[in-house]
Amino acid sequence: SFAVVCPGARSHIKRWTSEGFAAVADRLIKEAKLQVIFSGEPEEKGIIEEIRQQMTQKAFTMVGLATIPQLAVLMSRAALVITNDSASLHLASAVQAPTVAIFGPTDADKYGPTAPHNRIIRRQLFCSPCEEALCRFSHECMRFISAEEVFAAAQELLKAARAGHG
C-alpha cells in the first residue's frame, strides 16, 4: 500500500517545512512499510525535489504527471494522504481519503478536511489562524509542527483503517 504526500500549496505561507515532510516520508517507508508518492502541481517540482534530496529512502513522484481525475483515483486508493491546506486537501476530502491535514495560517474549521477519517495538525498560537498572505513573525505556526506529531497522526489513521473504523 502507499501514501500520497502533497507538500505544495499555492501560497508559500501554507507550506509545512521540507525537512518535516522528508522526515515523515522516510518514516512512512521504513516504519509503516508504505510506498510514498509525492504529488503536486508542475510548479511544485522544485519543493518536491528538495524534499526527496533530504530523504534517506526512495520515494516516487507524480508531479505534473497526473491529471486531477487521475490524482483523485490515486488518492481514493491510498492508505493515507498527507497535505497542507491546498487544492490537494480538497481533492482528498472529495474522494474521502484518510487525510492528515497540516494547517498554519489558515482556519482549519473553515477549510479543514471533510473525509470521515482525518487528523488536523496545527499550533494554536495567539496569532493563528491569521489568514494573512505574509507572516509578521517567523512562521512559527508551521515551524513549530514536528515530524513526530505528523507521523503519529498518520499512524493513528493507518491503525484505524486496519481496525475498520476511524
Side-chain angles (χ1 to χ4, degrees), residues 16-158:
W16 188 41
T17 63
S18 57
E19 302 78 31
F21 275 115
V24 169
D26 272 340
R27 290 188 69 184
L28 287 172
I29 296 166
K30 280 194 297 216
E31 296 171 44
K33 306 286 182 246
L34 292 176
Q35 289 189 326
V36 169
I37 302 169
F38 284 104
S39 168
E41 310 205 7
E43 61 271 21
E44 290 160 3
K45 207 178 178 96
I47 184 83
I48 288 171
E49 284 316 304
E50 186 185 311
I51 292 166
R52 287 173 76 201
Q53 280 159 16
Q54 293 178 55
M55 291 175 63
T56 58
Q57 305 293 307
K58 184 175 166 15
F60 302 93
T61 178
M62 296 271 300
V63 180
L65 300 176
T67 62
I68 302 273
Q70 286 168 334
L71 186 54
V73 169
L74 190 69
M75 286 180 170
S76 71
R77 296 184 182 159
L80 186 69
V81 175
I82 300 181
T83 179
N84 297 316
D85 173 20
S86 64
S88 298
L89 168 60
H90 306 299
L91 193 58
S93 290
V95 299
Q96 310 270 289
T99 305
V100 177
I102 303 168
F103 274 81
T106 49
D107 188 347
D109 297 335
K110 266 192 240 172
Y111 309 109
T114 56
H117 306 305
N118 73 73
R119 295 288 181 278
I120 292 170
I121 309 280
R122 61 181 159 187
R123 282 284 77 78
Q124 297 287 19
L125 303 178
F126 75 92
C127 55
S128 69
C130 65
E131 305 277 346
E132 299 289 335
L134 289 170
C135 180
R136 291 178 296 149
F137 304 101
S138 305
H139 212 206
E140 289 87 349
C141 62
M142 281 304 206
R143 287 193 305 115
F144 289 179
I145 290 173
S146 70
E148 187 54 54
E149 67 186 303
V150 173
F151 182 72
Q155 275 191 311
E156 280 174 26
L157 284 180
L158 292 167

